[in-house]
Amino acid sequence: NAGVMQNPRHLVRRRGQEARLRCSPMKGHSHVYWYRQLPEEGLKFMVYLQKENIIDESGMPKERFSAEFPKEGPSILRIQQVVRGDSAAYFCASSPRNEKLFFGSGTQLSVL
Amino acid sequence: DAKTTQPNSMESNEEEPVHLPCNHSTISGTDYIHWYRQLPSQGPEYVIHGLTSNVNNRMASLAIAEDRKSSTLILHRATLRDAAVYYCILRPSGSQGNLIFGKGTKLSVKP
């Protein structure tokens, strides 16, 4: 059973471009969480999704950021018109129910 | 959300036991105590969790105070691979929500 897969591992974008981060949860997991970690800081919750539904997006910036978890395919975190302050490590986690979270290795986003 | 307090950093020698403390004086009766760790350049990894009784697994032991206001994660024999940031997190029973990560304790292991 493969773990949580995130791709790409590293993503470089210029200011104003769009960034798309993908997360494939573990098999059988229907809960997906996205976190952001700025350099030398802790993980900050962004959004929690179940299949086709956003359950909690209280940590997501109101503009430029969106997330989805379609019935088929990976969860996508989309950042439009990226700025330098978006540079961070973005981690995805999945869980089967109200249990422990399994994290991916993250996507390191660098905005030039 | 209930908060936890951990030392910023700790040091250990290889092959010695490590006791990582966590204070959670405002814990409620339904909060589980979870521990995760994050190795350099990796995502967090689940370590252990418990409610009232002490817990053991292949990675570590969790000792919970009788009043539940504090807990200690015990690594029985630290290895260099145990160098990581360790997070103590409270999660209400039945919660479907996210985990709230604090700053954690950065553990250094000396050979």
Side-chain angles (χ1 to χ4, degrees):
Chain A
N1 188 8
V4 176
M5 303 299 292
Q6 289 190 250
N7 67 82
R9 190 80 169 89
H10 299 275
L11 181 62
V12 180
R13 284 288 177 266
R14 296 190 181 279
R15 282 179 294 170
Q17 291 184 320
E18 178 179 284
R20 281 193 173 209
L21 288 63
R22 293 175 184 77
C23 169
S24 295
M26 289 179 70
K27 187 177 180 180
H29 288 193
S30 58
H31 299 239
V32 166
Y33 307 77
W34 284 94
Y35 287 79
R36 176 166 65 175
Q37 187 170 34
L38 296 169
E40 305 302 322
E41 292 190 13
L43 288 95
K44 301 295 183 187
F45 166 75
M46 298 182 73
V47 62
Y48 161 43
L49 311 99
Q50 291 184 29
K51 279 292 186 181
E52 299 184 273
N53 293 306
I54 296 175
I55 306 301
D56 180 359
E57 55 182 349
S58 59
M60 191 99 94
K62 293 288 185 281
E63 297 178 352
R64 302 189 297 109
F65 286 73
S66 63
E68 63 178 13
F69 187 17
K71 188 176 181 181
E72 302 290 339
S75 176
I76 305 289
L77 179 68
R78 182 184 295 126
I79 311 172
Q80 296 178 304
Q81 300 175 320
V82 296
V83 300
R84 289 216 172 113
D86 296 332
S87 296
Y90 291 82
F91 292 98
C92 168
S94 73
S95 74
R97 292 183 296 277
N98 310 333
E99 297 180 359
K100 56 191 179 186
L101 272 58
F102 296 82
F103 284 82
S105 295
T107 293
Q108 181 65 51
L109 173 65
S110 299
V111 179
L112 304 179
Chain B
D1 295 304
K3 292 186 177 178
T4 63
T5 304
Q6 300 177 252
N8 289 334
S9 61
M10 290 185 66
E11 279 192 351
S12 172
N13 294 317
E14 197 176 11
E15 298 192 4
E16 290 186 356
V18 182
H19 291 233
L20 296 162
C22 180
N23 288 321
H24 29 79
S25 58
T26 59
I27 191 171
S28 75
T30 59
D31 285 340
Y32 279 80
I33 302 159
H34 287 245
W35 283 81
Y36 283 73
R37 72 179 185 181
Q38 186 175 20
L39 279 66
S41 301
Q42 297 286 329
E45 172 187 31
Y46 168 83
V47 178
I48 200 167
H49 78 282
L51 183 63
T52 56
S53 302
N54 294 344
V55 184
N56 299 293
N57 66 22
R58 63 176 181 82
M59 289 182 71
S61 295
L62 177 60
I64 301 172
E66 198 168 331
D67 63 5
R68 300 208 329 124
K69 293 184 184 300
S70 65
S71 60
T72 302
L73 179 71
I74 302 166
L75 307 179
H76 296 286
R77 287 184 64 200
T79 69
L80 297 178
R81 292 179 59 189
D82 291 321
V85 178
Y86 286 77
Y87 298 98
C88 170
I89 302 167
L90 300 182
R91 194 173 198 208
S93 174
S95 169
Q96 293 185 331
N98 70 93
L99 294 175
I100 299 175
F101 287 82
K103 294 188 183 297
T105 297
K106 185 173 184 178
L107 175 66
S108 302
V109 180
K110 295 183 290 184

